[in-house]
């Protein structure tokens, strides 16, 4: 039994459905369903009666909820205490998370982002690497001031500010049949499997998500991170990502090629922060970044608050 299971359980009781609970908790319905099933198996009792219009707690579920509500209240108070203490100690620091699959050289990339922000703010800046789901959870708990996403993220509880755009590219092995081309079209990719991440490409409007919506002829394959090397090096697979030539060098034995101009789309780089809780460090960062972009000719950040 863990606090995540208890939170999912309480949300289902309060909202009356697994889908509503999943939306509130920024996770998939499958994640909520699995957590409830694991909890029921551990407790040895059914917690819900499942019906076509939703679910409602069993007598045991109602009694369990009364106890769970007290536990969640106490845990929230504990989190709030820890957050307040941490903010008091690091009030001048900025904590960001880059929501991206792990890639070779990501420590160097994150250090560059931190140095860029520190130069403008004059405070300590940390940039972690995290998944979208875990990033949102830590954002809500106060662990991060904001998330950096490649592609917009829409939720009623957050503000999503576009701070620029990037072009898409294709990572492939150096001996891949397309590696000798200056650019790669979508038609070129039709014969090769394109990697899809169940975590990242279901979280926000990622590059893969954008192209999947275009109903292309590309074949997308959901990959476990451990299978990535085989996908690229053995199976002639490719991976869509931002086109930054240096990134191709971060994966040993690979190159990155831009998507051909006729097929390329501009993908926004976004800052995601909570609507109702923005730290002073983050607000200062957003103001500084707006001025920096204007100086560079990029215009002021554009907010999406869907």
């Amino acid at each position: 039994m863990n606090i995540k299971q208890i939170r999912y359980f309480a949300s289902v009781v309060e909202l009356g459905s697994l889908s509503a609970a999943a939306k509130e908790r920024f996770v998939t319905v499958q994640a909520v369903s699995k957590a409830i099933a694991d909890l029921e198996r551990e407790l040895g009792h059914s917690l819900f009666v499942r019906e076509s219009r939703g679910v409602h707690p069993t007598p045991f579920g109602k009694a369990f909820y009364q106890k769970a509500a007290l536990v969640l209240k106490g845990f929230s108070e504990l989190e709030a205490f820890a957050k307040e203490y941490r903010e008091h100690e690091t009030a001048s620091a900025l904590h960001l998370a880059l929501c991206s699959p792990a890639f070779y050289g990501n420590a160097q990339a994150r250090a560059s982002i931190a140095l860029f922000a520190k130069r403008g703010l004059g405070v300590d800046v940390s940039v972690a690497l995290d998944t979208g789901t875990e990033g949102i959870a830590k954002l809500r708990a106060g662990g991060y001031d904001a998330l950096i996403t490649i592609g917009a993220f829409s939720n009623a509880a957050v503000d999503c500010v576009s701070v620029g755009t990037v072009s898409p590219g294709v990572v492939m092995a150096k001996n891949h049949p397309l590696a000798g081309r200056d650019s790669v079209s979508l038609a070129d990719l039709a014969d090769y499997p394109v990697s899809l991440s169940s975590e990242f490409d279901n979280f926000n409007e990622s590059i893969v998500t954008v192209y999947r919506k275009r109903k292309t002829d590309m074949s997308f394959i959901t990959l476990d991170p451990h299978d990535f090397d085989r996908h690229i090096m053995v199976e002639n697979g490719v991976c869509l990502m931002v086109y930054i030539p240096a990134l191709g060098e971060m994966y040993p034995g690979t190159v990155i090629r831009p998507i051909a101009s006729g097929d390329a789309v501009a993908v926004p780089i976004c800052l995601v922060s909570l609507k109702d809780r923005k730290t002073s460090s983050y607000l200062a960062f957003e103001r500084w970044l707006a001025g920096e972009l204007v100086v560079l000719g990029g215009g002021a950040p554009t907010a999406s608050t869907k």
Side-chain angles (χ1 to χ4, degrees):
M1 187 185 309
N2 58 57
I3 196 67
K4 182 185 290 186
Q5 291 172 323
I6 302 301
R7 281 175 167 162
Y8 291 177
F9 161 73
S11 291
V12 174
V13 172
E14 293 161 4
L15 299 174
S17 80
L18 273 66
S19 59
K23 184 175 181 180
E24 181 185 59
R25 290 290 163 185
F26 301 100
V27 297
T28 64
V29 174
Q30 290 80 4
V32 173
S33 179
K34 183 179 185 304
I36 297 299
D38 290 345
L39 190 57
E40 288 179 325
R41 184 163 48 253
E42 183 176 349
L43 295 171
H45 291 278
S46 295
L47 293 168
F48 294 100
V49 175
R50 292 159 174 80
E51 300 176 338
S52 59
R53 295 185 177 181
V55 299
H56 64 267
T58 62
F60 174 78
K62 291 178 182 178
F64 188 75
Y65 174 74
Q66 297 301 315
K67 298 290 185 182
L70 296 176
V71 170
L72 291 175
K73 182 176 184 295
F75 194 81
S76 294
E77 291 173 352
L78 188 62
E79 282 187 322
F81 166 77
K83 178 178 179 292
E84 183 178 352
Y85 189 87
R86 181 172 58 250
E87 288 182 348
H88 177 72
E89 284 196 323
T90 61
S92 61
L94 178 67
H95 302 287
L96 305 173
L98 174 62
C99 294
S100 166
F103 56 90
Y104 291 101
N106 74 79
Q108 178 185 344
R110 290 185 286 116
S112 297
I113 296 171
L115 184 62
F116 170 73
K118 184 176 182 178
R119 175 175 63 82
L121 296 179
V123 302
D124 290 334
V125 180
S126 65
V127 182
L129 189 73
D130 218 331
T131 66
T133 301
E134 288 298 316
I136 283 290
K138 293 173 186 175
L139 183 67
R140 297 179 70 183
Y144 298 138
D145 297 301
L147 308 180
I148 303 170
T149 63
I150 308 301
F153 173 67
S154 297
N155 187 279
V158 305
D159 288 328
C160 181
V161 177
S162 173
V163 296
T165 60
V166 290
S167 298
V170 185
V171 171
M172 65 192 77
K174 287 183 177 179
N175 60 356
H176 192 281
L178 300 178
R181 304 195 180 188
D182 293 331
S183 64
V184 178
S185 70
L186 298 187
D188 293 333
L189 296 175
D191 295 329
Y192 306 99
V194 182
S195 64
L196 182 151
S197 167
S198 58
E199 165 62 42
F200 293 95
D201 295 319
N202 288 324
F203 174 72
N204 67 322
E205 289 287 312
S206 70
I207 294 173
V208 168
T209 302
V210 169
Y211 281 111
R212 289 182 73 193
K213 288 182 177 179
R214 293 180 66 173
K215 307 297 184 183
T216 67
D217 291 330
M218 289 188 288
S219 175
F220 293 95
I221 307 297
T222 302
L223 282 187
D224 183 280
H226 299 293
D227 296 329
F228 183 79
D229 286 348
R230 177 178 177 81
H231 170 75
I232 294 291
M233 298 301 180
V234 179
E235 299 174 350
N236 270 347
V238 300
C239 172
L240 300 182
M241 64 186 305
V242 298
Y243 178 62
I244 300 176
L247 289 180
E249 300 172 2
M250 291 181 180
Y251 290 96
T254 69
V255 295
I256 185 169
R257 296 290 180 256
I259 296 287
S261 59
D263 293 325
V265 295
V267 181
I269 303 174
C270 299
L271 288 175
V272 175
S273 60
L274 294 176
K275 284 182 181 292
D276 59 354
R277 193 171 70 244
K278 301 182 193 296
T279 65
S280 58
S281 296
Y282 170 73
L283 291 172
F285 177 59
E286 192 175 281
R287 287 193 298 270
W288 171 77
L289 194 57
E292 188 78 359
L293 289 173
V294 170
V295 170
L296 294 174
T302 302
S304 173
T305 56
K306 294 180 181 179

